[in-house]
Amino acid sequence: MDNRFSILFYPKGNNNLNKNGKASIYLRITVNGKRCEISINRKVDPMKWNSVSGKLNGNTEEAFQLNKYINSIKVKLYNIQEKFILEDKPYTAIMIKNKFLNKDDERKTLIQIFKEHNDQIEKLVGKSYSFGCYKRYVRTSNHLKNYIKSEYKTEDIFVREVDLKFINGFEYFLKTKDIGNQNTITKYLTNFKKIIRIAYANNWIDKDPFFHWKAKWKAVERDFLSELDINKLHHILDAF
């Protein structure tokens, strides 16, 4: 794993100083060219800031305490990065930021995310979604629960564990359970795909495991009614 990792402390908003002429200090985390920023809840006189060292100049008590605080943040960030490396896990700037802020989103589980989604859909039934749509998502979630229980012998898995093998396994599981035709199975997979896209959009996962998956739809052949069949249908309707 060869991730380019860097951190930078700097005063932000030099044109928007507070009444004491100080600007907020921000931390920028960069991994492989992608960055995120957070305030460290400290302010500084930009004229006293050393942009090369990323610290406050001087030997004052203020400088000592601020620089000590910045050093402690650096230690935490490098420890977080080191843990990712030791566990051979890919990481992003946002993941390091979330770890630093104790927002451990990598512990999000698949069924948990699906339930949160379905709870939101349920509240929008009759507004943005139909009841039938809501029930289809519930059925998809139930099928996933059964698959996880059958194949992984547990009630749920971390969303980061979902990969193409898991997706193909779920598709095979649905086929063996004979729950419907190919189009029904593909619909369940596309519902599942939406949940994964939500996880990806929220940076709970680093890549979309559905990227190489292709939906398999089967064309439905419809028989045309003969003139005799149409006449029979008219007679039946006339009887009512």
Side-chain angles (χ1 to χ4, degrees):
M1 188 184 304
D2 184 23
N3 287 342
R4 298 187 304 277
F5 171 71
S6 65
I7 53 180
L8 173 69
F9 295 88
Y10 68 99
K12 186 175 183 179
N14 289 355
N15 297 325
N16 188 26
L17 307 179
N18 66 8
K19 62 181 181 180
N20 296 319
K22 293 186 176 183
S24 297
I25 302 176
Y26 272 71
L27 160 66
R28 177 183 295 162
I29 304 170
T30 306
V31 176
N32 293 332
K34 295 185 177 181
R35 61 180 61 169
C36 64
E37 298 178 343
I38 52 174
S39 169
I40 67 169
N41 297 316
R42 296 290 190 278
K43 296 184 182 296
V44 66
D45 180 350
M47 299 300 294
K48 297 180 181 179
W49 183 258
N50 188 322
S51 59
V52 176
S53 64
K55 293 182 179 180
L56 184 61
N57 285 327
N59 298 316
T60 64
E61 180 66 18
E62 177 191 14
F64 174 78
Q65 293 297 335
L66 177 58
N67 293 337
K68 180 181 177 181
Y69 179 61
I70 288 174
N71 284 334
S72 69
I73 293 176
K74 285 183 178 180
V75 170
K76 289 180 181 178
L77 291 171
Y78 281 113
N79 285 340
I80 290 169
Q81 184 216 17
E82 182 181 19
K83 185 176 180 182
F84 277 117
I85 293 173
L86 290 175
E87 294 177 355
D88 196 27
K89 290 183 177 180
Y91 59 90
T92 65
I94 291 178
M95 289 171 62
I96 290 180
K97 168 188 167 183
N98 287 340
K99 282 280 191 181
F100 175 72
L101 297 175
N102 292 320
K103 295 180 179 179
D104 197 359
D105 288 331
E106 73 168 15
R107 309 307 288 178
K108 281 277 192 178
T109 60
L110 177 59
I111 301 303
Q112 172 196 359
I113 298 171
F114 218 133
K115 183 180 184 306
E116 292 171 359
H117 169 270
N118 290 352
D119 288 346
Q120 292 177 352
I121 296 296
E122 185 179 19
K123 293 176 182 177
L124 295 173
V125 169
K127 299 174 183 177
S128 304
Y129 297 89
S130 67
F131 182 73
C133 177
Y134 163 69
K135 291 300 292 182
R136 284 192 292 273
Y137 278 112
V138 171
R139 284 196 294 271
T140 304
S141 177
N142 289 337
H143 288 314
L144 271 171
K145 288 179 185 177
N146 292 334
Y147 169 60
I148 293 170
K149 194 169 185 178
S150 172
E151 297 299 318
Y152 295 83
K153 313 304 179 187
T154 185
E155 299 295 324
D156 202 353
I157 65 169
F158 295 123
V159 69
R160 291 187 177 278
E161 297 181 61
V162 176
D163 53 14
L164 186 59
K165 180 182 177 182
F166 180 96
I167 295 167
N168 290 334
F170 179 49
E171 184 173 10
Y172 178 77
F173 175 82
L174 294 175
K175 290 179 179 178
T176 59
K177 296 303 177 182
D178 195 26
I179 63 153
N181 59 28
Q182 179 61 51
N183 289 348
T184 299
I185 290 172
T186 300
K187 186 61 181 175
Y188 285 132
L189 266 295
T190 54
N191 288 345
F192 176 27
K193 182 179 180 179
K194 179 185 176 183
I195 303 304
I196 293 300
R197 287 290 175 86
I198 290 173
Y200 183 63
N202 282 281
N203 294 298
W204 299 332
I205 55 177
D206 302 314
K207 57 184 178 180
D208 180 5
F210 273 92
F211 183 78
H212 294 291
W213 178 84
K214 294 185 180 299
K216 305 178 186 71
W217 299 102
K218 184 176 181 180
V220 179
E221 296 182 1
R222 301 184 182 278
D223 295 327
F224 291 96
L225 294 176
S226 67
E227 185 176 352
L228 179 60
D229 291 329
I230 293 174
N231 288 333
K232 287 181 179 180
L233 183 59
H234 280 311
H235 285 306
I236 294 173
L237 294 176
D238 289 340
F240 289 93

